[in-house]
């Protein structure tokens, strides 16, 4: 199995440097993000999970311990994954895959998970979950972990997108990078029609995946508001992804 | 918050003894099961995760350690949850909720997760995942955990269904229980038209949730075969749920 596995893993890593496979992955990740938000909506807010009066919160405990388990299983050897609490992760049990780094080293370590978790807890959870407390804290925390990891993976994908765009036409980006011109880079990375198409598509996905599917046709009650998902993408997720891209490019010539 | 929280948790527990809320929960759990299978299908089989040649497998390590974290967060204080490796779980950090047990004690501890994990690994994974190995073992294991927990919750829900049915008409079940008549109990619990409706509904859900949603209409390529989901329900999941119901009822007069 060994050799064959290595080659296939190489193909997987190559796919992270191909604009069309990145696009497909981003589209597929939309499903994951929407599924995870729908799953979070099964539980009420359960605010005791987030209570920091006896700091740290139960959620924080849960995330740190879960990341430790996943680190041992090798999650953070993948360039796609960024831990929320990266400071004291245990080593993976299996030797990490040997391959040429996909990303430029100084940009690879960009991690804006602190921004992601704040927005998720302060803004998204109260919009997605109903008021109340059913006591199912561990099950709720597991859905929070899934949401956070899906959002984090999507947003940090900006690193791969930036790397590929830079490799495709370094001459377009180099002057702005050298001038540390964040605004100029942001302009180069912004395609309004593409962003509008994404917002429309995720709204449609939230309608499709969040409907009550029965044997009869039914009205339009959605588990997570489609407009909320579209707005989350437009106001927060796409801008943060572009923020990651700009930060990555700024370090690309280090 | 305390008192109010307790009351709401009471309402949640009451809902586990109400046939209409159980039905709604089972319908909602279909979405969770299908989402989780679709998420598993994002990764190839990744058989190194299941390799027991250096026993135990990486998956087993991952499941045991994840269950330990979830146990500390209180997952297994809920009568809905049954651990895959229940023998050495740590205690929950928060005091478990004080409430009258929902289930009859000798039936409450029924746990057929060994059957569930065998079928999942031997039959479902090879049907849902494509051949290959992309090295993303930890991410794959996380999707396995989600599938296993969703299937386990659904199948062990048979305990609540059996409890409610028994409470509603003990006279119908008592003779068969006293006679240890498994076949007779199975007959009392079987409603073919209901089972057919479930199979049709989950097939439809797999079509809806597993389609590629784009801005244009597209052909019918599904991430997990709808017929597979319907067959899984008909041949395995519904029979196992009824097995749990029969086992529960046999102990109901202990």
């Amino acid at each position: 199995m060994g050799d064959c596995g290595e080659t296939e893993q190489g193909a997987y890593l190559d796919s992270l440097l191909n604009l069309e496979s990145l696009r497909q992955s981003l589209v597929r990740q939309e499903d994951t993000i929407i599924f995870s938000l729908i799953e979070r909506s099964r539980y009420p807010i359960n605010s005791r999970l987030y209570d920091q009066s006896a700091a740290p919160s139960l959620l924080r405990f849960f995330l740190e311990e879960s990341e430790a388990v996943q680190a041992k299983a090798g999650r953070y050897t993948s360039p796609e994954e960024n831990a929320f609490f990266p400071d004291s992760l245990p080593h993976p049990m299996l030797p990490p895959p040997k391959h040429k780094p996909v990303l430029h080293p100084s940009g690879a370590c960009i991690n804006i998970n602190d921004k992601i978790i704040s927005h998720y807890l302060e803004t998204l959870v109260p919009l997605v979950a109903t008021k109340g407390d059913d006591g199912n804290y561990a099950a709720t925390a597991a859905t929070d972990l899934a949401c956070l990891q899906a959002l984090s993976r999507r947003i940090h994908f900006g690193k791969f997108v930036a790397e590929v765009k830079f490799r495709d036409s370094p001459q377009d980006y180099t002057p702005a990078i050298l001038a540390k011109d964040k605004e100029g880079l942001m302009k180069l990375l912004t395609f309004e029609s593409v962003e509008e198409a994404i917002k429309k598509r995720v709204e449609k996905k939230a309608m499709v995946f969040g409907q009550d599917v029965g044997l009869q046709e039914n009205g339009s009650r959605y588990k997570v508001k489609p407009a909320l998902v579209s707005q989350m993408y437009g106001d927060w997720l796409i801008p943060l992804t572009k923020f990651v891209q700009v930060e990555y490019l700024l370090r690309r010539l280090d």
Side-chain angles (χ1 to χ4, degrees), chain A residues 183-200:
Chain A
E183 224 169 289
L185 287 170
M186 192 58 96
K187 232 178 239 168
L188 286 169
L189 297 165
T190 299
F191 299 91
E192 273 175 28
S193 64
V194 174
E195 294 179 12
E196 280 311 308
I198 295 174
K199 285 169 61 183
K200 275 197 195 127

Side-chain angles (χ1 to χ4, degrees), chain A residues 38 204-214 217-224:
Chain A
I38 292 173
K204 191 168 165 193
K205 285 186 177 184
M207 284 180 182
V208 171
F209 301 149
Q211 67 185 304
D212 282 331
V213 177
E217 287 305 306
N218 56 31
S220 47
R221 232 177 41 82
Y222 301 113
K223 294 183 187 85
V224 169

Side-chain angles (χ1 to χ4, degrees), chain A residues 22-247:
Chain A
L22 288 180
R23 201 194 64 79
Q24 285 172 14
S25 177
L26 288 168
V27 169
R28 182 67 190 73
Q29 289 182 48
E30 292 163 4
D31 300 25
T32 303
I33 289 171
I34 294 166
F35 290 164
S36 69
L37 292 173
I38 292 173
E39 287 302 284
R40 178 61 185 85
S41 79
R42 288 171 59 204
Y43 300 98
I45 287 184
N46 283 340
S47 50
R48 210 170 158 191
L49 176 58
Y50 312 111
D51 182 6
Q52 297 182 40
S53 62
S57 67
L58 185 57
L59 180 73
R60 176 159 177 159
F61 160 82
F62 185 85
L63 295 177
E64 284 196 88
E65 297 249 324
S66 299
E67 288 200 331
V69 175
Q70 301 201 351
K72 287 188 226 167
R75 185 179 194 104
Y76 303 105
T77 62
S78 162
E80 280 193 63
E81 303 293 343
N82 298 272
F84 283 85
F85 300 100
D87 289 336
S88 52
L89 290 176
H91 291 290
M93 293 161 64
L94 292 176
K98 283 177 225 128
H99 53 76
K100 261 202 334 213
V102 177
L103 296 169
H104 190 70
S106 49
C109 57
I110 291 169
N111 184 331
I112 60 162
N113 275 335
D114 52 344
K115 283 187 208 292
I116 295 172
I117 197 167
S118 305
H119 184 83
Y120 175 75
L121 293 178
E122 285 157 26
T123 307
L124 290 176
V125 169
L127 289 170
V128 165
T130 54
K131 288 207 174 79
D133 188 321
D134 69 1
N136 284 316
Y137 307 121
T140 306
T143 65
D144 283 330
L145 174 65
C147 288
L148 286 166
Q149 289 183 329
L151 293 166
S152 173
R153 194 187 300 117
R154 167 63 172 83
I155 288 166
H156 289 100
F157 236 63
K159 297 183 210 175
F160 302 106
V161 175
E163 176 64 25
V164 172
K165 287 186 174 172
F166 180 83
R167 288 195 194 189
D168 281 354
S169 43
Q171 69 285 0
D172 291 355
Y173 296 95
T174 302
I177 296 173
L178 293 173
K180 298 189 196 309
D181 176 8
K182 290 189 185 193
E183 224 169 289
L185 287 170
M186 192 58 96
K187 232 178 239 168
L188 286 169
L189 297 165
T190 299
F191 299 91
E192 273 175 28
S193 64
V194 174
E195 294 179 12
E196 280 311 308
I198 295 174
K199 285 169 61 183
K200 275 197 195 127
R201 188 173 59 230
V202 294
E203 183 160 0
K204 191 168 165 193
K205 285 186 177 184
M207 284 180 182
V208 171
F209 301 149
Q211 67 185 304
D212 282 331
V213 177
L215 294 176
Q216 278 91 43
E217 287 305 306
N218 56 31
S220 47
R221 232 177 41 82
Y222 301 113
K223 294 183 187 85
V224 169
K225 273 194 196 132
L228 160 68
V229 176
S230 162
Q231 210 182 335
M232 174 188 81
Y233 261 79
D235 294 351
W236 179 69
L237 198 148
I238 293 174
L240 264 195
T241 308
K242 289 198 292 183
F243 173 82
V244 168
Q245 292 186 53
V246 169
E247 290 297 311

